[in-house]
Amino acid sequence: MQIRERRFRAAAPCEGQEWLPSVLAAARCEISDDELLLRVIVDESDKGGVGGEALVMGGDILSLHPVGDPFLLAPRPFENCETFNAALLVPTGVGAEIGGHAGDAGPLTKLLGSICDAVVTHPNVVNASDINEAPANCHYVEGSVLTRLLLGNVALQPVRKNRVLLVIDDHPDSYFTTAATNAANASRASYGLDCSAILKLNPGVRLSVSYSSTGRAVGDVTNLDLLLSKLLELRDQYDAVAVSSVIDVPPGYHQKYFDSAGEMVNPWGGVEAMLTHTLSTVLGVPTAHSPMFETRDIASLDLGMVDARKAAEAVSMTFLQCILKGLQRSPRIVTAQFGRAGLFDVTNVSCLVIPDGCLGVPTLAALAQGIPVIAVRENRSLMKNDLRALPWADGQLHIVENYWEAAGVVAALKAGIDPASVRRPLNKIIPETVHASSDIRAMTAIGAAAAEPAY
């Protein structure tokens, strides 16, 4: 089995044509009939079109276990206004100022959770090694699931708890497998995790880090066949999958990242997303990954006092608790049935909050679904797309400076008021005079004659 990214280019659609089908068609041109498209990222755009990376999976597993197209758009027939719910997205591996390191968008999730009935977000937003303080009204879903939710082809079913299967590397140093096992048992004792089993794979799945030509964190995933085949074999014994495995990085990367004062893109998140997108798409269950230290020397690095956004990683040994706690109540992934009681689907999504310049399938799906989008300038990243170039409906795109303003726009939308009404100056609306043409007068006369009763 192979998972790799391929570059694609899509011309800007003609006036009146939809953006989402155009981008997806361009990405699909780069794959063969026996491969599956897993993710689409647009990292550059101009008047002529967009360029990006398509994450592609191929291998025998697709013939043995067919997987449907994860990018089918199911237009929502209405918006359910009984509750107000936000989708919160911070792309992985693009160096986001907020949410691009170690769960440092957790406070933002709490802020939005205090305003909204529910917040849907993905693991790297709230995963902070041994810390996961997502609010109780947060739906913790893998990134590909959030994308499919916005497309309308899956819904979320809240659960009381999940049976979480933990898969760990058979590390050559038993110190690390013992630490991961202790972490799982600690979660059982301290917050009641239902850990159905711990599998120690040999060979385990291997992840290695690299960077794309645009600077995004990506990588390679190998030894995936054993993991997937075993998970398919045991499919009735778990509801969610946590994976802890070694991520190979070049020598010195650990120290370099922590010394970079936020200037270096987190090396690990990109390849982790490649793995979990694959697992959740093939298995149809919540998944998350945490890294396992390569050696004791790396585990014992004296990092000193680090950037606050990275501090959670500097004080952890296993990085496991955040994903175990998140997966404990991650919602079940089911086929969308619009309006069905007990399911959370795209009709329940009231707005999408993203960093400015963030363009991919979630943003394009929101555009197609008529979902308001709030783009935050302060959350800078490698993505430099001009969102204003897209054909938004009036009042659908709100570009704000920071997440304080974003929270204000969310509150205004929830209250059912035009966000512009609380800003000044407030432009007045000038009446537009409509003159009746001769054709309109003639049609009016015909209509009046037809309305006269016949005696």
Side-chain angles (χ1 to χ4, degrees):
M1 174 178 295
Q2 294 179 325
I3 303 172
R4 58 168 64 98
E5 284 197 334
R6 293 182 185 155
R7 193 79 191 160
F8 73 90
R9 178 79 186 173
C14 300
E15 186 174 352
Q17 292 183 331
E18 298 290 338
W19 272 79
L20 180 61
S22 175
V23 171
L24 289 176
R28 288 190 176 106
C29 284
E30 302 301 320
I31 68 175
S32 59
D33 293 340
D34 59 348
E35 293 178 318
L36 179 67
L37 186 63
L38 294 171
R39 183 177 64 175
V40 176
I41 295 175
V42 176
D43 50 33
E44 61 178 9
S45 59
D46 53 38
K47 294 181 180 179
V50 301
E53 302 283 350
L55 181 64
V56 177
M57 169 186 173
D60 294 339
I61 195 73
L62 293 176
S63 58
L64 299 173
H65 182 76
V67 178
D69 183 358
F71 293 107
L72 292 176
L73 175 69
R76 64 177 186 173
F78 58 89
E79 178 189 351
N80 186 335
C81 295
E82 294 179 354
T83 58
F84 189 94
N85 311 293
L88 172 60
L89 176 67
V90 181
T92 308
V94 298
E97 288 278 347
I98 302 169
H101 296 280
D104 56 303
L108 168 61
T109 311
K110 280 191 170 184
L111 173 62
L112 294 182
S114 71
I115 301 170
C116 303
D117 294 286
V119 177
V120 188
T121 195
H122 50 113
N124 75 285
V125 171
V126 294
N127 278 356
S129 297
D130 291 329
I131 303 170
N132 182 336
E133 288 295 314
N137 62 343
C138 175
H139 294 308
Y140 176 98
V141 300
E142 201 279 326
S144 65
V145 178
L146 177 54
T147 299
R148 297 183 67 186
L149 172 71
L150 293 169
L151 286 166
N153 65 55
V154 299
L156 309 178
Q157 184 178 40
V159 300
R160 296 189 190 279
K161 70 174 181 65
N162 286 316
R163 299 168 298 163
V164 179
L165 176 66
L166 173 60
V167 182
I168 63 177
D169 268 355
D170 187 5
H171 200 291
D173 186 341
S174 62
Y175 177 80
F176 296 105
T177 56
T178 298
T181 303
N182 285 338
N185 282 310
S187 68
R188 296 172 62 227
S190 61
Y191 54 87
L193 180 74
D194 182 351
C195 182
S196 59
I198 301 176
L199 298 183
K200 189 166 60 174
L201 287 191
N202 188 356
V205 62
R206 300 294 293 189
L207 309 179
S208 60
V209 163
S210 61
Y211 287 94
S212 72
S213 59
T214 58
R216 285 191 310 107
V218 290
D220 293 310
V221 181
T222 57
N223 294 351
L224 187 56
D225 298 81
L226 176 60
L227 172 62
L228 265 180
S229 60
K230 194 63 181 178
L231 291 177
L232 289 169
E233 176 189 332
L234 301 176
R235 180 60 192 86
D236 61 345
Q237 298 182 27
Y238 61 85
D239 306 305
V241 175
V243 180
S244 177
S245 67
V246 170
I247 302 179
D248 295 321
V249 299
Y253 260 42
H254 291 270
Q255 190 73 55
K256 182 179 179 182
Y257 172 65
F258 283 99
D259 289 344
S260 67
E263 295 302 315
M264 181 179 179
V265 174
N266 183 307
W268 300 279
V271 73
E272 288 183 294
M274 294 171 68
L275 173 66
T276 57
H277 273 52
T278 304
L279 295 179
S280 282
T281 302
V282 173
L283 300 170
V285 299
T287 65
H289 181 274
S290 70
M292 183 179 281
F293 276 122
E294 300 95 313
T295 65
R296 294 198 198 194
D297 287 343
I298 293 176
S300 60
L301 282 173
D302 183 3
L303 299 172
M305 289 183 290
V306 303
D307 188 310
R309 294 171 294 175
K310 307 171 185 179
E313 291 184 347
V315 297
S316 178
M317 171 57 67
T318 65
F319 315 100
L320 258 177
Q321 290 304 332
C322 61
I323 70 170
L324 295 177
K325 190 174 181 182
L327 292 173
Q328 184 178 27
R329 296 192 64 186
S330 185
R332 185 172 294 118
I333 305 162
V334 299
T335 303
Q337 300 176 46
F338 295 140
R340 179 180 167 185
L343 296 186
F344 187 103
D345 60 44
V346 68
T347 66
N348 301 106
V349 179
S350 310
C351 65
L352 171 64
V353 182
I354 59 174
D356 191 22
C358 170
L359 185 55
V361 175
T363 304
L364 294 175
L367 172 67
Q369 301 281 25
I371 296 170
V373 171
I374 303 166
V376 179
R377 286 197 180 103
E378 188 174 79
N379 199 359
R380 295 175 293 276
S381 73
L382 294 174
M383 304 183 80
K384 306 299 182 185
N385 303 290
D386 183 2
L387 299 182
R388 293 168 298 182
L390 298 177
W392 303 98
D394 289 342
Q396 188 181 3
L397 176 65
H398 305 271
I399 298 180
V400 300
E401 288 300 323
N402 52 58
Y403 283 110
W404 292 348
E405 289 188 25
V409 173
V410 169
L413 294 175
K414 182 182 180 182
I417 62 174
D418 180 359
S421 68
V422 295
R423 296 292 305 276
R424 294 297 181 269
L426 180 62
N427 295 329
K428 58 180 176 289
I429 299 177
I430 307 298
E432 180 181 350
T433 303
V434 179
H435 297 283
S437 65
S438 57
D439 290 341
I440 293 176
R441 287 195 295 270
M443 291 176 64
T444 302
I446 294 171
E452 293 180 358
Y455 299 101

